[in-house]
Amino acid sequence: HMSGEFLKTPTRSFIQSSARDRLYGFLAASMFSVAYYLAPTWLALTALLACFGPTTKLFYFMIVPIILSLLTPSWVIKSIGKYALSTHAFHCIPKYFKYEEYHELTDQEFGQSVHEEARPKKYIFACHPHGVFPFVATCA
């Protein structure tokens, strides 16, 4: 029994923002881009050094972060992630991208429909694939 009114205006809008918030959002979002480029490159260079220079200081410099990452318990990563995602800078990411959401249901209607005891509704969520990163194209 949808009236279609929800699709005419955004449910959540992050269009209005200050230059400072957009800068914070840019810096927070840029960390993901750096990770996309740095992590695979770091691993590849470390693998090459393992083959051709496993006793060099550079190899040890490059392998230590990888070993520390492997030894870090998952609860540490979860708590750091939970903290990072709750910071003001991460809340500014949608403002940098001038992000808007359009929903057919309010959050309350959705919550009620999936928790109905008699017959809970099922949904398919779809969104534009922003963030799909073709690393092969980067290497080409």
Side-chain angles (χ1 to χ4, degrees):
H1 72 71
M2 183 177 51
S3 66
E5 291 298 316
F6 289 107
L7 297 178
K8 292 182 181 175
T9 60
T11 311
R12 291 185 187 92
S13 179
F14 299 93
I15 299 296
Q16 301 297 323
S17 61
S18 67
R20 186 177 76 180
D21 280 350
R22 286 190 302 278
L23 174 64
Y24 288 161
F26 166 75
L27 294 172
S30 295
M31 292 190 322
F32 293 104
S33 299
V34 169
Y36 286 143
Y37 286 104
L38 183 62
T41 305
W42 192 281
L43 290 171
L45 290 174
T46 305
L48 284 172
L49 283 171
C51 295
F52 299 109
T55 59
T56 63
K57 288 181 181 180
L58 180 59
F59 172 73
Y60 290 114
F61 171 77
M62 303 229 8
I63 196 74
V64 166
I66 296 170
I67 292 170
L68 289 174
S69 175
L70 291 171
L71 295 176
T72 304
S74 63
W75 66 267
V76 173
I77 303 301
K78 287 178 185 175
S79 59
I80 291 171
K82 196 176 203 178
Y83 169 76
L85 292 174
S86 67
T87 62
H88 178 69
F90 272 80
H91 288 208
C92 289
I93 290 175
K95 295 175 184 178
Y96 169 69
F97 288 108
K98 296 185 177 180
Y99 177 77
E100 290 185 320
E101 290 181 8
Y102 291 80
H103 298 137
E104 294 180 3
L105 300 171
T106 65
D107 291 341
Q108 292 79 19
E109 290 172 328
F110 173 73
Q112 289 171 354
S113 70
V114 296
H115 291 102
E116 289 177 0
E117 289 185 30
R119 190 170 172 198
K121 292 184 180 178
K122 297 179 181 178
Y123 295 92
I124 296 174
F125 290 92
C127 61
H128 184 273
H130 179 81
V132 175
F133 187 80
F135 193 72
V136 173
T138 303
C139 294

